[in-house]
Amino acid sequence: MSTLDTAGPGADDVATLWWVMAAGAAVLALFTWSLLALAFRRRSGSGARGVSLWIGWLGLAMPAAVLTVLLGYAFILGERHLARPAPDVVTVEATGHQWYWSFRQPGAAGVIETRDILHIPAGRAIDVRIASADVIHSFWVPRLGGKMDAIPGQVNVLRIEAGRPGIYEGQCAEFCGLNHASNRFRVVAHDAASWSAFQRGGGQ
């Protein structure tokens, strides 16, 4: 369930953001350690001008610039994955319970309901309408995208996508009671043939 072992475009962007933030943190850490090392060395003639340079420009401006770039990049990636109307999007209802997940989606012969297994087609955007039947839960499939809270009385929408067929593990990412650790589910991403079979009522 690694967020860095990605299997979809949403998860790809999450992993990219992680690496960019790790690089930014490394730059800031290296710079801070360098300043700390310099602080232990006495430099003659540095005076107030040297202090102003290190603290004012390099100590404040440089971290502010790095953090601003990281924040802007995070906003850009987040904006790309909002659940906006788009053609060929599959909509699924996901409801968190103590302690399982139920899923509802349209099928060829009517509504298909499953428990702890979410079926989706590979290569298509999926809008998961997330709700809760009791307490706050959180829907998370690390290899397919970010996480979204399931809040009683409210529906939140998360867009995910599997780039290829396969089985992907998901879990509740919000402590929801004594059996929170077992509140897990699976996402089965179908190829075109098996998705058609599932839609007709097979493989539930």
Side-chain angles (χ1 to χ4, degrees):
M1 297 180 67
S2 171
T3 56
L4 302 181
D5 181 18
T6 62
D12 288 343
D13 282 346
V14 171
T16 299
L17 178 61
W18 188 92
W19 284 112
V20 169
M21 292 182 69
V27 169
L28 291 179
L30 180 62
F31 182 71
T32 302
W33 294 333
S34 300
L35 287 180
L36 183 61
L38 288 173
F40 285 96
R41 297 181 58 187
R42 290 189 176 184
R43 291 184 171 272
S44 59
S46 59
R49 183 178 179 183
V51 171
S52 175
L53 172 66
W54 286 108
I55 295 179
W57 288 102
L58 299 179
L60 296 176
M62 186 267 200
V66 172
L67 294 175
T68 300
V69 170
L70 290 177
L71 180 62
Y73 186 62
F75 280 142
I76 291 171
L77 289 185
E79 185 76 11
R80 280 169 34 181
H81 294 283
L82 293 177
R84 293 190 175 91
D88 210 29
V89 174
V90 176
T91 300
V92 178
E93 296 178 6
T95 304
H97 304 261
Q98 291 179 309
W99 289 270
Y100 66 94
W101 289 85
S102 61
F103 303 101
R104 289 170 51 91
Q105 59 186 292
V111 175
I112 299 175
E113 299 187 21
T114 56
R115 175 169 166 159
D116 288 334
I117 300 178
L118 170 58
H119 295 266
I120 65 173
R124 290 173 61 182
I126 313 298
D127 281 353
V128 186
R129 294 175 53 83
I130 302 166
S132 171
D134 35 55
V135 299
I136 296 177
H137 300 278
S138 186
F139 179 95
W140 188 34
V141 188
R143 297 186 65 199
L144 300 185
K147 63 183 73 171
M148 181 72 73
D149 281 349
I151 302 173
Q154 179 176 325
V155 176
N156 293 326
V157 182
L158 175 69
R159 179 162 292 178
I160 62 173
E161 182 178 338
R164 57 186 179 273
I167 298 176
Y168 305 99
E169 300 295 329
Q171 68 177 44
C172 175
E174 181 78 29
F175 181 71
C176 55
L178 294 176
N179 289 337
H180 161 72
S182 62
N183 195 2
R184 303 181 65 165
F185 59 94
R186 284 185 170 180
V187 177
V188 178
H190 297 268
D191 59 23
S194 61
W195 175 246
S196 296
F198 170 76
Q199 289 282 286
R200 293 193 300 270
Q204 296 183 41

